[in-house]
Amino acid sequence: MLKAPIGILGGTFDPIHIGHLRPAIEARDTLELAEIRLIPNHIPPHRANPFCSSEQRLAMVRLAAAENRHFVVDERELQRDKPSYTIDTLIELRHELPDTPLCFLMGMDSLLSLPSWHRWQELLDYGHLVVSVRPGWQPDYPAEVAQLLARHHTSDARALHRQLAGHIWLADNQPVELSATRLRALLEAGQDTRYLLPESVAHYIDQQGLYRANRR
Ligand code: ATP
């Protein structure tokens, strides 16, 4: 008997916002996921990451997670000194949680670019993919993604409970038209960002003076 599936959401979270949180909450409810793991990505210090440090991104993810008992923060990718591929993280989680279906959550933009991911064809050996609607990205699939969907798509939510891996679920979530890029632009312009991110995160950004025009 398998355990209830969990959701996994990796991201830069620079900063975390409702475009990450709302689709994750809806996926949890619809698919009856036991939890959502938020996994902030490692970004190499020498690469273009002008915004905030890993510690600050982690602090914001922790603040967002503290408001919902279903969110769990997983720091594994930040603890390494190099970027992790999603496939490696999924393999690790599969070993740690041998009886738990893993649902890797992503927006439509990520599904469309999946063929550029390292060992992308193996992702479905270790987990399911749960894809959220994201304004700006239509389901015009490149051939490789269309083939993947033809093989793995399911509209039976229980199938994600019955198998450890191998299905793709296309969510019908409330679209949220927001990116961290847009949010940073609003913050930089000194605009009011209320209701676009958790208040605790907005407060932290304000306290730390993050994303302000005069910092750069
Ligand atoms: P940036 O604007 O800095 O590129 P982002 O807002 O796209 O950032 P990421 O941290 O790169 O956020 O995204 C992590 C995951 O969350 C990705 O799978 C992405 O598709 C998904 N995601 C981000 N924003 C949304 C949104 N508004 N709706 C649905 N999915 C989203």
Side-chain angles (χ1 to χ4, degrees), residues 1 22 44 53 71 91-92 115 129 132-133 146 157 159 179 182 210:
M1 176 78 181
R22 279 300 321 166
S53 66
F71 285 128
I91 291 174
E92 242 183 67
L129 300 184
S132 301
V133 168
S179 65
R182 169 84 183 134
L210 301 176

Side-chain angles (χ1 to χ4, degrees), residues 2-3 7-8 20 40 50 63 72 76 98 120 122 157 171 174 183 185 203 213:
L2 297 181
K3 297 198 171 130
I8 298 158
H20 301 122
L63 286 168
V72 174
R76 71 184 64 225
W120 65 281
E122 291 169 63
Q174 169 67 44
L183 191 49
H203 183 68

Side-chain angles (χ1 to χ4, degrees), residues 9-14 17 19-20 23 105-110 132-135 173 176-182 184:
L9 179 62
T12 310
F13 303 127
D14 191 14
H17 57 71
H20 301 122
L105 313 184
M106 60 173 66
M108 181 57 75
D109 54 313
S110 300
S132 301
V133 168
R134 184 167 190 185
N173 57 293
V176 180
E177 183 157 20
L178 185 63
S179 65
T181 305
R182 169 84 183 134
R184 287 193 300 267

